[in-house]
Amino acid sequence: MRLCVDSSALLKRYVDEPDSAACEAILRSNPELVSGRHTVVEVRRNLARLLAGADLSAARSTFAADLESISLVELGGAALPFVTYDVRQAQAARSLGFTVLGA
């Protein structure tokens, strides 16, 4: 099974936040991750907002490496479980029929 992952979930890999460990367990449970193309911009923007110096550089490098194993797509439909820690995003996804993991 593939997982559709949004930026709020991916950020938990690079920034220690509440639910980071739980999110990492979900993401590691299946190596087939899918995300929207917009996620790249959102993650990079938020890394720059939340981190600085060596921490920012390390997170950017790790994210770049992770992108090699994430399929970037135009999102649509509810065929994949959706991993998010953004409550509003989760509500919207559920209203569209997505199975939501995380929030």
Side-chain angles (χ1 to χ4, degrees):
M1 172 176 65
R2 296 183 301 167
L3 295 175
C4 181
V5 183
D6 86 333
S7 58
S8 70
L10 283 174
L11 278 169
K12 291 187 179 304
R13 279 195 153 166
Y14 318 111
V15 179
D16 187 25
E17 299 178 327
D19 296 318
S20 285
C23 181
E24 186 63 22
I26 291 171
L27 297 180
R28 292 214 181 273
S29 72
N30 194 312
E32 290 188 63
L33 301 179
V34 176
S35 195
R37 296 182 192 285
H38 64 281
T39 300
V40 176
V41 173
E42 290 178 354
V43 170
R44 287 179 179 157
R45 177 192 54 150
N46 282 298
L47 288 175
R49 182 178 62 82
L50 297 168
L51 301 173
D55 291 335
L56 175 57
S57 180
R60 282 180 173 162
S61 294
T62 303
F63 178 55
D66 286 349
L67 279 176
E68 294 181 22
S69 63
I70 298 172
S71 298
L72 297 176
V73 298
E74 299 301 327
L75 292 181
L80 302 173
F82 187 61
V83 183
T84 184
Y85 283 83
D86 180 317
V87 175
R88 289 182 297 169
Q89 180 108 319
Q91 291 170 340
R94 284 186 183 101
S95 75
L96 294 171
F98 283 77
T99 299
V100 176
L101 306 175

